[in-house]
Amino acid sequence: MTAYAVVIPTLVRDTLADCLAALAAATGPRPDEIVLVDDRPGPDPDPQALDHPLSVLGDLRERTLVVTGGGRGPAAARNTGTQAVTAPWVAFLDDDVQVGPHWCDQLVQDLEEATLDTGAVQGVIAVPLPGHRRPTDWERATAGLAQARWITADMAYRTETLKQVGGFDERFRRAFREDVDLALRVLDAGWRIRQGRRTTRHPVRPADRWVSLRAQRGNADDALMRHLHGPDWWQRALAPRGRIRGHMVTTAAGLTALACALTGRRRAALLAALGWAAGTAEFAWARIAPGPRTRHEVDTMLATSVLIPPAATWHWLSGLVRHRGAAPWREVAL
């Protein structure tokens, strides 16, 4: 039987207890080790916050090690967790997922079917959506995880493979693109990545109306991906291109309208303002049309559709500057 460890980076959110309870309830061969990486910032996070989540593990509690990550982000937290395991395979889970009832059985089957040149096996992610209405913009964004390649919400890597490529690139400080970056480096090193059959549920987390605006920080990570893997990395990863080009055009039109108005060029200012309004309206409608169109959702889409283009543009350009000349990820001792 193939031995494996489970590594879960966490900010000790309310979802952690459900994640661990599902893992404890799953049938099949148990993980040799579970490493929980407490990545809350600060030198001394409150250990009592873990009392309830750990209590749901039952007899798996004795196999569980808690280490601190120091708030350096999920990529660094996963490296920290990997350093603490000895099993030949490491299954990474996020702290907001719930593995299926037969996950342990299915995982071991996935690993035993892996050929010698297979460096990783991905799980199947299911995102439950409301059946009585259309999903919101945030719910649709979360549902996209079900089609994402190489997502570390449920991803098993050979420990040997991780060591060879130096683990996750810790310059990715958010839970965004660090999984794609690792997978591309693994493929470049000659390994294969295959799709497994095990299933994991990824519920939609509650979020405030500004979550889509905060998500624009990921454009800086896209800029880092461009530096590291070239402008065609989107095609290699089968990742959606996104709307950054449109956002830049809309932002440029808005800035041009403002500049022309300040210098007294009224006609040019009007034309540029019309361009900005058209771009903003198209973006807002593209987000409103497939949604539930409630008053709250429409108001949220209108407000954030005004703010997202300049925010996305700023993060993209700042990422290009910050990561210019970015070298390949240095190897870490795993």
Side-chain angles (χ1 to χ4, degrees):
M1 185 190 70
T2 303
Y4 68 96
V6 173
V7 171
I8 306 174
T10 182
L11 294 174
V12 195
R13 298 179 289 189
D14 293 340
T15 56
L16 178 60
D18 290 336
C19 173
L20 296 180
L23 179 60
T27 62
R30 315 298 260 171
D32 285 19
E33 308 155 283
I34 300 174
V35 181
L36 203 61
V37 186
D38 184 349
D39 201 39
R40 288 176 292 174
D44 191 22
D46 180 12
Q48 292 185 345
L50 284 167
D51 288 347
H52 172 60
L54 291 174
S55 69
V56 305
L57 282 170
D59 59 357
L60 285 180
R61 176 65 183 91
E62 62 186 22
R63 305 187 186 194
T64 302
L65 172 68
V66 178
V67 297
T68 57
R72 296 183 296 133
R78 294 190 190 102
N79 285 342
T80 299
T82 303
Q83 291 171 342
V85 305
T86 59
W89 285 89
V90 182
F92 295 106
L93 296 174
D94 286 348
D95 71 350
D96 56 353
V97 304
Q98 299 160 15
V99 300
H102 308 292
W103 186 83
C104 295
D105 265 326
Q106 294 170 335
L107 172 63
V108 170
Q109 184 177 359
D110 284 344
L111 302 184
E112 291 183 343
E113 291 176 355
T115 56
L116 293 178
D117 62 346
T118 298
V121 185
Q122 180 176 351
V124 177
I125 302 297
V127 179
L129 294 175
H132 62 285
R133 59 165 174 80
R134 294 177 175 180
T136 64
D137 180 69
W138 171 237
E139 290 168 340
R140 294 194 305 274
T142 305
L145 298 175
Q147 283 76 47
R149 299 184 80 188
W150 313 317
I151 180 173
T152 40
D154 180 355
M155 188 73 169
Y157 274 97
R158 287 189 192 271
T159 309
E160 173 192 355
T161 303
L162 293 171
K163 290 180 178 179
Q164 180 181 340
V165 302
F168 289 86
D169 188 332
E170 298 179 7
R171 291 171 293 189
F172 291 92
R173 299 296 296 269
R174 288 169 289 275
F176 191 66
R177 302 304 191 205
E178 83 289 357
D179 43 11
V180 177
D181 167 74
L182 173 61
L184 289 177
R185 287 188 285 117
V186 165
L187 293 173
D188 288 342
W191 294 94
R192 295 176 57 203
I193 300 177
R194 61 177 293 268
Q195 177 69 60
R197 290 192 291 268
R198 67 190 186 279
T199 59
T200 292
R201 185 172 178 267
H202 193 309
V204 179
R205 298 194 312 270
D208 61 54
R209 70 191 326 167
W210 306 112
V211 63
S212 59
L213 182 62
R214 292 192 299 274
Q216 301 312 308
R217 298 169 184 167
N219 283 283
D221 299 310
D222 283 348
L224 177 55
M225 288 293 293
R226 180 185 177 88
H227 281 305
L228 294 174
H229 300 286
D232 66 339
W233 74 267
W234 306 86
Q235 288 83 7
R236 293 183 61 202
L238 296 182
R241 183 73 171 98
R243 299 180 64 113
I244 185 61
R245 293 179 178 177
H247 290 333
M248 294 179 73
V249 170
T250 300
T251 301
L255 292 175
T256 300
L258 179 60
C260 290
L262 291 175
T263 56
R265 300 163 60 191
R266 294 184 179 180
R267 182 177 177 78
L270 177 60
L271 291 174
L274 288 174
W276 172 85
T280 302
E282 184 279 327
F283 178 45
W285 179 244
R287 303 169 71 209
I288 292 170
R293 305 187 196 178
T294 62
R295 177 64 179 272
H296 180 271
E297 179 73 359
V298 171
D299 288 348
T300 298
M301 295 301 97
L302 291 174
T304 54
S305 294
V306 171
L307 298 174
I308 282 175
T313 300
W314 167 256
H315 288 299
W316 168 255
L317 294 176
S318 64
L320 287 177
V321 173
R322 186 185 325 134
H323 300 302
R324 65 186 183 279
W329 172 239
R330 60 177 178 83
E331 292 189 4
V332 296
L334 295 179

